[in-house]
Short mmCIF file of all heavy atoms in Angstrom, two decimals:
data_model
loop_
_atom_site.label_atom_id
_atom_site.label_comp_id
_atom_site.label_asym_id
_atom_site.label_seq_id
_atom_site.Cartn_x
_atom_site.Cartn_y
_atom_site.Cartn_z
N ASN A 20 137.40 111.51 96.26
CA ASN A 20 136.88 111.41 97.62
C ASN A 20 135.38 111.60 97.58
O ASN A 20 134.89 112.61 97.09
CB ASN A 20 137.51 112.48 98.52
CG ASN A 20 138.96 112.21 98.80
OD1 ASN A 20 139.32 111.12 99.19
ND2 ASN A 20 139.79 113.21 98.59
N VAL A 21 134.64 110.62 98.10
CA VAL A 21 133.19 110.64 98.05
C VAL A 21 132.64 110.50 99.46
O VAL A 21 133.09 109.66 100.24
CB VAL A 21 132.65 109.48 97.18
CG1 VAL A 21 131.14 109.51 97.11
CG2 VAL A 21 133.25 109.52 95.79
N THR A 22 131.64 111.32 99.78
CA THR A 22 130.98 111.24 101.08
C THR A 22 129.53 111.67 100.94
O THR A 22 129.15 112.29 99.95
CB THR A 22 131.70 112.11 102.13
OG1 THR A 22 131.14 111.85 103.41
CG2 THR A 22 131.58 113.57 101.82
N GLY A 23 128.73 111.31 101.93
CA GLY A 23 127.35 111.75 102.01
C GLY A 23 127.23 112.92 102.96
O GLY A 23 128.08 113.11 103.83
N ILE A 24 126.18 113.68 102.83
CA ILE A 24 126.01 114.89 103.62
C ILE A 24 125.91 114.58 105.12
O ILE A 24 126.39 115.34 105.95
CB ILE A 24 124.79 115.71 103.15
CG1 ILE A 24 124.76 117.10 103.78
CG2 ILE A 24 123.49 115.00 103.43
CD1 ILE A 24 125.69 118.06 103.15
N SER A 25 125.33 113.44 105.47
CA SER A 25 125.18 113.10 106.89
C SER A 25 126.02 111.89 107.29
O SER A 25 125.71 111.22 108.26
CB SER A 25 123.70 112.87 107.22
OG SER A 25 123.21 111.78 106.46
N SER A 26 127.07 111.64 106.56
CA SER A 26 127.95 110.51 106.86
C SER A 26 128.71 110.75 108.17
O SER A 26 129.20 111.86 108.41
CB SER A 26 128.95 110.31 105.73
OG SER A 26 129.92 109.35 106.09
N PRO A 27 128.84 109.72 108.98
CA PRO A 27 129.63 109.88 110.21
C PRO A 27 131.12 110.04 109.94
O PRO A 27 131.87 110.45 110.81
CB PRO A 27 129.34 108.60 111.00
CG PRO A 27 128.88 107.62 110.00
CD PRO A 27 128.24 108.39 108.89
N HIS A 28 131.54 109.74 108.73
CA HIS A 28 132.96 109.84 108.36
C HIS A 28 133.25 111.05 107.48
O HIS A 28 134.33 111.15 106.90
CB HIS A 28 133.39 108.57 107.63
CG HIS A 28 133.07 107.33 108.38
ND1 HIS A 28 133.72 106.98 109.55
CD2 HIS A 28 132.15 106.37 108.18
CE1 HIS A 28 133.23 105.86 110.01
NE2 HIS A 28 132.27 105.47 109.20
N LYS A 29 132.30 111.95 107.39
CA LYS A 29 132.44 113.12 106.52
C LYS A 29 133.68 113.95 106.86
O LYS A 29 134.43 114.34 105.97
CB LYS A 29 131.19 113.98 106.61
CG LYS A 29 131.22 115.21 105.75
CD LYS A 29 129.94 116.00 105.88
CE LYS A 29 130.05 117.30 105.14
NZ LYS A 29 128.85 118.11 105.30
N ASN A 30 133.92 114.20 108.12
CA ASN A 30 135.09 115.00 108.51
C ASN A 30 136.39 114.32 108.14
O ASN A 30 137.36 114.99 107.76
CB ASN A 30 135.06 115.30 110.01
CG ASN A 30 133.94 116.25 110.37
OD1 ASN A 30 133.49 117.03 109.55
ND2 ASN A 30 133.47 116.17 111.60
N ASP A 31 136.45 112.98 108.23
CA ASP A 31 137.65 112.25 107.83
C ASP A 31 137.89 112.36 106.34
O ASP A 31 139.03 112.49 105.89
CB ASP A 31 137.54 110.78 108.24
CG ASP A 31 137.50 110.60 109.74
OD1 ASP A 31 138.11 111.42 110.45
OD2 ASP A 31 136.85 109.64 110.20
N VAL A 32 136.81 112.31 105.55
CA VAL A 32 136.94 112.44 104.10
C VAL A 32 137.41 113.84 103.74
O VAL A 32 138.29 114.02 102.88
CB VAL A 32 135.60 112.10 103.40
CG1 VAL A 32 135.68 112.38 101.91
CG2 VAL A 32 135.21 110.66 103.66
N ILE A 33 136.88 114.85 104.41
CA ILE A 33 137.30 116.22 104.16
C ILE A 33 138.76 116.41 104.54
O ILE A 33 139.53 117.06 103.82
CB ILE A 33 136.39 117.22 104.90
CG1 ILE A 33 134.99 117.19 104.29
CG2 ILE A 33 136.96 118.63 104.87
CD1 ILE A 33 133.95 117.97 105.06
N GLU A 34 139.18 115.84 105.67
CA GLU A 34 140.58 115.94 106.09
C GLU A 34 141.50 115.25 105.08
O GLU A 34 142.57 115.78 104.75
CB GLU A 34 140.76 115.31 107.46
CG GLU A 34 142.16 115.42 107.99
CD GLU A 34 142.32 114.78 109.36
OE1 GLU A 34 141.33 114.60 110.08
OE2 GLU A 34 143.47 114.45 109.70
N THR A 35 141.09 114.09 104.60
CA THR A 35 141.88 113.39 103.58
C THR A 35 141.97 114.24 102.31
O THR A 35 143.04 114.36 101.71
CB THR A 35 141.26 112.03 103.25
OG1 THR A 35 141.23 111.24 104.44
CG2 THR A 35 142.06 111.29 102.19
N ASN A 36 140.86 114.83 101.92
CA ASN A 36 140.84 115.68 100.73
C ASN A 36 141.76 116.88 100.91
O ASN A 36 142.46 117.28 99.97
CB ASN A 36 139.42 116.14 100.43
CG ASN A 36 139.31 116.81 99.09
OD1 ASN A 36 139.54 116.20 98.06
ND2 ASN A 36 138.96 118.09 99.11
N ASP A 37 141.78 117.45 102.09
CA ASP A 37 142.65 118.60 102.37
C ASP A 37 144.13 118.23 102.31
O ASP A 37 144.97 119.06 101.99
CB ASP A 37 142.34 119.21 103.73
CG ASP A 37 140.99 119.89 103.76
OD1 ASP A 37 140.45 120.19 102.68
OD2 ASP A 37 140.47 120.12 104.88
N ASN A 38 144.46 116.97 102.61
CA ASN A 38 145.85 116.52 102.58
C ASN A 38 146.33 116.14 101.19
O ASN A 38 147.51 115.91 100.99
CB ASN A 38 146.06 115.34 103.52
CG ASN A 38 146.02 115.75 104.97
OD1 ASN A 38 146.39 116.86 105.31
ND2 ASN A 38 145.56 114.86 105.82
N CYS A 39 145.42 116.06 100.25
CA CYS A 39 145.77 115.66 98.88
C CYS A 39 146.13 116.89 98.04
O CYS A 39 145.74 118.01 98.35
CB CYS A 39 144.59 114.94 98.23
SG CYS A 39 144.20 113.36 98.97
N ASP A 40 146.86 116.62 96.99
CA ASP A 40 147.21 117.65 96.02
C ASP A 40 145.93 118.09 95.31
O ASP A 40 145.27 117.28 94.67
CB ASP A 40 148.22 117.10 95.02
CG ASP A 40 148.62 118.09 93.95
OD1 ASP A 40 148.27 119.28 94.07
OD2 ASP A 40 149.30 117.67 93.01
N PRO A 41 145.55 119.36 95.39
CA PRO A 41 144.29 119.81 94.79
C PRO A 41 144.22 119.63 93.27
O PRO A 41 143.13 119.57 92.71
CB PRO A 41 144.20 121.29 95.15
CG PRO A 41 145.36 121.62 95.97
CD PRO A 41 146.24 120.42 96.08
N THR A 42 145.35 119.54 92.61
CA THR A 42 145.32 119.34 91.16
C THR A 42 145.02 117.90 90.79
O THR A 42 144.72 117.61 89.63
CB THR A 42 146.65 119.76 90.52
OG1 THR A 42 147.71 118.94 91.04
CG2 THR A 42 146.95 121.22 90.80
N ARG A 43 145.11 116.99 91.74
CA ARG A 43 144.89 115.57 91.47
C ARG A 43 143.75 114.99 92.29
O ARG A 43 143.59 113.78 92.37
CB ARG A 43 146.17 114.80 91.73
CG ARG A 43 147.34 115.31 90.88
CD ARG A 43 148.56 114.47 91.01
NE ARG A 43 148.39 113.12 90.55
CZ ARG A 43 148.52 112.70 89.29
NH1 ARG A 43 148.83 113.55 88.37
NH2 ARG A 43 148.36 111.43 88.98
N THR A 44 142.96 115.85 92.91
CA THR A 44 141.91 115.40 93.81
C THR A 44 140.56 115.93 93.38
O THR A 44 140.42 117.08 93.01
CB THR A 44 142.19 115.88 95.25
OG1 THR A 44 143.47 115.44 95.63
CG2 THR A 44 141.18 115.33 96.21
N THR A 45 139.55 115.07 93.47
CA THR A 45 138.17 115.47 93.22
C THR A 45 137.36 115.10 94.46
O THR A 45 137.47 113.98 94.97
CB THR A 45 137.59 114.74 92.00
OG1 THR A 45 138.42 115.02 90.87
CG2 THR A 45 136.18 115.19 91.71
N TYR A 46 136.56 116.03 94.94
CA TYR A 46 135.73 115.81 96.13
C TYR A 46 134.27 115.85 95.71
O TYR A 46 133.83 116.79 95.06
CB TYR A 46 136.02 116.89 97.17
CG TYR A 46 135.13 116.81 98.38
CD1 TYR A 46 135.35 115.86 99.36
CD2 TYR A 46 134.07 117.70 98.55
CE1 TYR A 46 134.54 115.79 100.48
CE2 TYR A 46 133.27 117.64 99.66
CZ TYR A 46 133.51 116.69 100.62
OH TYR A 46 132.71 116.61 101.73
N VAL A 47 133.52 114.81 96.08
CA VAL A 47 132.10 114.73 95.76
C VAL A 47 131.35 114.51 97.06
O VAL A 47 131.66 113.59 97.82
CB VAL A 47 131.79 113.59 94.77
CG1 VAL A 47 130.31 113.50 94.51
CG2 VAL A 47 132.55 113.77 93.49
N GLU A 48 130.33 115.35 97.30
CA GLU A 48 129.49 115.19 98.48
C GLU A 48 128.04 115.06 98.00
O GLU A 48 127.51 115.98 97.39
CB GLU A 48 129.64 116.39 99.40
CG GLU A 48 128.85 116.28 100.67
CD GLU A 48 129.11 117.44 101.60
OE1 GLU A 48 130.23 117.52 102.14
OE2 GLU A 48 128.20 118.27 101.75
N PHE A 49 127.43 113.92 98.28
CA PHE A 49 126.04 113.69 97.89
C PHE A 49 125.13 114.26 98.96
O PHE A 49 125.20 113.87 100.13
CB PHE A 49 125.77 112.20 97.70
CG PHE A 49 126.50 111.62 96.52
CD1 PHE A 49 127.59 110.80 96.70
CD2 PHE A 49 126.09 111.90 95.24
CE1 PHE A 49 128.26 110.26 95.62
CE2 PHE A 49 126.75 111.37 94.15
CZ PHE A 49 127.84 110.55 94.33
N THR A 50 124.26 115.18 98.56
CA THR A 50 123.40 115.86 99.54
C THR A 50 122.16 115.05 99.90
O THR A 50 121.51 115.35 100.89
CB THR A 50 122.94 117.22 98.99
OG1 THR A 50 122.27 117.03 97.76
CG2 THR A 50 124.13 118.15 98.81
N ASP A 51 121.85 114.03 99.13
CA ASP A 51 120.62 113.28 99.37
C ASP A 51 120.86 111.87 99.92
O ASP A 51 120.04 110.98 99.73
CB ASP A 51 119.79 113.21 98.10
CG ASP A 51 120.57 112.71 96.91
OD1 ASP A 51 121.80 112.55 97.04
OD2 ASP A 51 119.97 112.48 95.85
N CYS A 52 121.99 111.67 100.59
CA CYS A 52 122.23 110.38 101.22
C CYS A 52 123.21 110.54 102.38
O CYS A 52 123.86 111.56 102.52
CB CYS A 52 122.73 109.34 100.22
SG CYS A 52 124.33 109.67 99.55
N GLY A 53 123.27 109.48 103.18
CA GLY A 53 124.13 109.51 104.36
C GLY A 53 125.44 108.80 104.11
O GLY A 53 126.13 109.07 103.13
N GLY A 54 125.78 107.87 104.98
CA GLY A 54 127.06 107.20 104.92
C GLY A 54 127.11 106.01 103.98
O GLY A 54 128.18 105.58 103.57
N ALA A 55 125.97 105.46 103.63
CA ALA A 55 125.92 104.26 102.77
C ALA A 55 125.58 104.67 101.33
O ALA A 55 124.51 104.35 100.82
CB ALA A 55 124.91 103.26 103.30
N ILE A 56 126.49 105.36 100.70
CA ILE A 56 126.24 105.91 99.36
C ILE A 56 125.96 104.80 98.36
O ILE A 56 125.07 104.92 97.53
CB ILE A 56 127.43 106.76 98.90
CG1 ILE A 56 127.61 107.93 99.85
CG2 ILE A 56 127.24 107.25 97.49
CD1 ILE A 56 128.91 108.67 99.68
N LEU A 57 126.71 103.72 98.44
CA LEU A 57 126.53 102.62 97.49
C LEU A 57 125.14 101.99 97.62
O LEU A 57 124.57 101.55 96.62
CB LEU A 57 127.61 101.57 97.68
CG LEU A 57 127.75 100.52 96.60
CD1 LEU A 57 127.95 101.15 95.23
CD2 LEU A 57 128.89 99.59 96.90
N ASP A 58 124.58 101.97 98.81
CA ASP A 58 123.24 101.41 99.02
C ASP A 58 122.15 102.42 98.69
O ASP A 58 121.10 102.06 98.16
CB ASP A 58 123.06 100.96 100.48
CG ASP A 58 123.93 99.78 100.83
OD1 ASP A 58 124.27 99.00 99.91
OD2 ASP A 58 124.26 99.63 102.01
N GLU A 59 122.39 103.69 99.00
CA GLU A 59 121.36 104.70 98.86
C GLU A 59 121.30 105.33 97.47
O GLU A 59 120.21 105.62 96.97
CB GLU A 59 121.57 105.81 99.90
CG GLU A 59 121.45 105.31 101.33
CD GLU A 59 121.79 106.38 102.35
OE1 GLU A 59 121.52 107.57 102.08
OE2 GLU A 59 122.34 106.03 103.41
N GLN A 60 122.43 105.57 96.85
CA GLN A 60 122.49 106.24 95.54
C GLN A 60 123.51 105.57 94.62
O GLN A 60 124.48 106.21 94.19
CB GLN A 60 122.84 107.72 95.72
CG GLN A 60 121.83 108.53 96.47
CD GLN A 60 120.53 108.70 95.69
OE1 GLN A 60 120.50 108.59 94.48
NE2 GLN A 60 119.46 108.96 96.41
N PRO A 61 123.32 104.30 94.27
CA PRO A 61 124.33 103.62 93.44
C PRO A 61 124.48 104.23 92.05
O PRO A 61 125.59 104.29 91.52
CB PRO A 61 123.83 102.18 93.37
CG PRO A 61 122.37 102.25 93.67
CD PRO A 61 122.20 103.43 94.59
N ALA A 62 123.40 104.72 91.47
CA ALA A 62 123.48 105.30 90.12
C ALA A 62 124.28 106.60 90.14
O ALA A 62 125.09 106.86 89.24
CB ALA A 62 122.09 105.54 89.56
N LYS A 63 124.08 107.42 91.16
CA LYS A 63 124.83 108.67 91.26
C LYS A 63 126.31 108.41 91.52
O LYS A 63 127.17 109.11 91.00
CB LYS A 63 124.26 109.55 92.37
CG LYS A 63 122.98 110.24 91.99
CD LYS A 63 122.60 111.24 93.04
CE LYS A 63 121.36 112.01 92.63
NZ LYS A 63 121.02 113.04 93.61
N LEU A 64 126.61 107.40 92.33
CA LEU A 64 128.00 107.05 92.58
C LEU A 64 128.67 106.54 91.31
O LEU A 64 129.79 106.93 90.98
CB LEU A 64 128.12 106.01 93.69
CG LEU A 64 129.53 105.57 94.04
CD1 LEU A 64 130.38 106.76 94.50
CD2 LEU A 64 129.50 104.49 95.10
N ALA A 65 127.96 105.71 90.56
CA ALA A 65 128.49 105.20 89.30
C ALA A 65 128.74 106.34 88.32
O ALA A 65 129.76 106.36 87.61
CB ALA A 65 127.54 104.18 88.69
N GLU A 66 127.84 107.32 88.29
CA GLU A 66 128.01 108.48 87.41
C GLU A 66 129.22 109.31 87.84
O GLU A 66 129.98 109.78 87.00
CB GLU A 66 126.75 109.34 87.44
CG GLU A 66 126.81 110.56 86.56
CD GLU A 66 126.75 110.26 85.07
OE1 GLU A 66 126.53 109.10 84.68
OE2 GLU A 66 126.94 111.20 84.29
N ALA A 67 129.41 109.49 89.14
CA ALA A 67 130.57 110.25 89.62
C ALA A 67 131.88 109.55 89.25
O ALA A 67 132.84 110.20 88.83
CB ALA A 67 130.47 110.44 91.14
N ILE A 68 131.91 108.24 89.40
CA ILE A 68 133.11 107.48 89.05
C ILE A 68 133.35 107.53 87.54
O ILE A 68 134.48 107.71 87.09
CB ILE A 68 132.99 106.02 89.54
CG1 ILE A 68 133.00 106.00 91.07
CG2 ILE A 68 134.11 105.16 88.97
CD1 ILE A 68 132.66 104.65 91.67
N ARG A 69 132.28 107.43 86.77
CA ARG A 69 132.41 107.49 85.31
C ARG A 69 132.97 108.84 84.87
O ARG A 69 133.89 108.93 84.05
CB ARG A 69 131.07 107.25 84.63
CG ARG A 69 131.17 107.19 83.10
CD ARG A 69 129.81 107.10 82.45
NE ARG A 69 129.04 108.32 82.58
CZ ARG A 69 129.22 109.42 81.83
NH1 ARG A 69 130.16 109.45 80.91
NH2 ARG A 69 128.48 110.48 82.00
N LEU A 70 132.44 109.92 85.44
CA LEU A 70 132.93 111.26 85.08
C LEU A 70 134.36 111.47 85.54
O LEU A 70 135.15 112.12 84.85
CB LEU A 70 132.00 112.32 85.67
CG LEU A 70 130.61 112.39 85.05
CD1 LEU A 70 129.72 113.34 85.85
CD2 LEU A 70 130.68 112.78 83.59
N PHE A 71 134.72 110.92 86.71
CA PHE A 71 136.08 111.02 87.20
C PHE A 71 137.04 110.33 86.24
O PHE A 71 138.07 110.88 85.85
CB PHE A 71 136.16 110.41 88.59
CG PHE A 71 137.54 110.36 89.17
CD1 PHE A 71 138.16 111.51 89.61
CD2 PHE A 71 138.22 109.16 89.29
CE1 PHE A 71 139.42 111.48 90.15
CE2 PHE A 71 139.49 109.11 89.83
CZ PHE A 71 140.10 110.27 90.26
#
Side-chain angles (χ1 to χ4, degrees):
N20 289 310
V21 181
T22 188
I24 191 78
S25 61
S26 172
H28 307 291
K29 180 179 173 183
N30 291 335
D31 295 328
V32 174
I33 292 171
E34 182 180 339
T35 300
N36 190 63
D37 291 342
N38 288 329
C39 293
D40 178 10
T42 62
R43 302 187 63 85
T44 304
T45 303
Y46 175 77
V47 178
E48 183 176 291
F49 292 107
T50 58
D51 52 352
C52 67
I56 298 168
L57 192 55
D58 292 334
E59 298 175 32
Q60 296 292 337
K63 284 189 176 183
L64 180 59
E66 180 72 7
I68 293 170
R69 185 186 69 79
L70 291 172
F71 176 73

